[in-house]
Amino acid sequence: MTVVEPGTVAVIFTSVRASDVDDGYAQMAEQMVELAAHQPGFVGVQSVRDAGTGVGITVSYWADDQSARAWKNVAEHRIAQERGRAQWYADYSVVVAQVSRAYGRNG
Amino acid sequence: MTVVEPGTVAVIFTSVRASDVDDGYAQMAEQMVELAAHQPGFVGVQSVRDAGTGVGITVSYWADDQSARAWKNVAEHRIAQERGRAQWYADYSVVVAQVSRAYGRNG
């Protein structure tokens, strides 16, 4: 499991899906991960959704605050954000935080 | 959805369950959330696990770094950490990060 460096910027996106019908959400989510991975400063992403409750947490990691902000403004990502607000999510929150330390299984 | 204040400390715990058998894990996880909620400086917690892949993300929020560190050292929590390493998790990582900004659905 990737351990990130101090100074990395974590963007914690928590959301509740409005429904579990196939409304193009899964495809968009996959495309957004693909798109994020091609942005400058992208470090990594971890994403989990509980199919039962509809609650999901996605944490993306960025080299610095500038690249995290730039990702928010990428055109296609903005469209997904708009549609997310309008259709896909019953609720969501975004928390941006700077990594102070990290450790894995072996330390 | 709770939006946390800048300066709050986020502890991002990502893990992969070793198996999905009932080995006391679910009960422990519930107890840990209960225990965390009684610690000084506890702000909130969000936890999601994908039953299919076994991957889970738990983000707990703390008033400051001191309370986040204190939680790591709480006796019962240490026992869960030990058993986690030995039995429950195939892999895990912990990232500690300080919140710089946060926003929700309406801003």
Side-chain angles (χ1 to χ4, degrees):
Chain A
M1 196 155 273
T2 312
V3 171
V4 297
E5 296 298 318
T8 303
V9 173
V11 179
I12 306 164
F13 177 65
T14 308
S15 62
V16 185
R17 284 273 282 132
S19 82
D20 60 357
V21 298
D22 178 9
D23 51 7
Y25 175 78
Q27 197 190 352
M28 175 284 295
E30 206 173 295
Q31 283 171 349
M32 284 306 111
V33 168
E34 180 84 3
L35 185 63
H38 286 88
Q39 300 309 305
F42 176 81
V43 172
V45 63
Q46 294 171 323
S47 191
V48 175
R49 187 169 300 278
D50 180 326
T53 63
V55 178
I57 300 177
T58 298
V59 186
S60 60
Y61 293 100
W62 301 88
D64 48 38
D65 198 64
Q66 193 188 349
S67 51
R69 284 183 193 271
W71 166 237
K72 185 169 189 270
N73 291 321
V74 168
E76 292 175 64
H77 184 209
R78 289 192 71 90
I79 294 168
Q81 288 171 47
E82 285 301 320
R83 198 165 158 195
R85 266 195 287 274
Q87 176 187 353
W88 285 315
Y89 299 126
D91 198 3
Y92 69 84
S93 71
V94 179
V95 175
V96 182
Q98 190 172 35
V99 174
S100 51
R101 59 187 180 278
Y103 52 96
R105 194 182 177 78
N106 303 309
Chain B
M1 197 155 272
T2 312
V3 172
V4 298
E5 298 297 319
T8 303
V9 173
V11 179
I12 306 164
F13 177 66
T14 308
S15 61
V16 185
R17 285 274 281 131
S19 82
D20 60 356
V21 298
D22 178 10
D23 52 7
Y25 175 77
Q27 196 189 353
M28 177 284 294
E30 206 173 294
Q31 283 172 351
M32 284 307 110
V33 168
E34 180 84 4
L35 185 65
H38 285 89
Q39 300 308 306
F42 177 80
V43 173
V45 64
Q46 293 171 322
S47 191
V48 175
R49 187 169 300 278
D50 180 326
T53 63
V55 178
I57 300 177
T58 297
V59 186
S60 60
Y61 293 100
W62 300 89
D64 49 37
D65 198 65
Q66 193 188 349
S67 51
R69 284 183 193 271
W71 166 237
K72 185 167 190 271
N73 291 320
V74 167
E76 292 176 62
H77 184 208
R78 288 192 73 89
I79 293 167
Q81 288 172 46
E82 285 301 321
R83 199 165 158 195
R85 266 194 286 274
Q87 175 186 352
W88 284 315
Y89 299 125
D91 198 4
Y92 69 85
S93 71
V94 179
V95 175
V96 182
Q98 191 171 35
V99 174
S100 51
R101 59 187 182 276
Y103 53 94
R105 194 181 178 78
N106 303 309

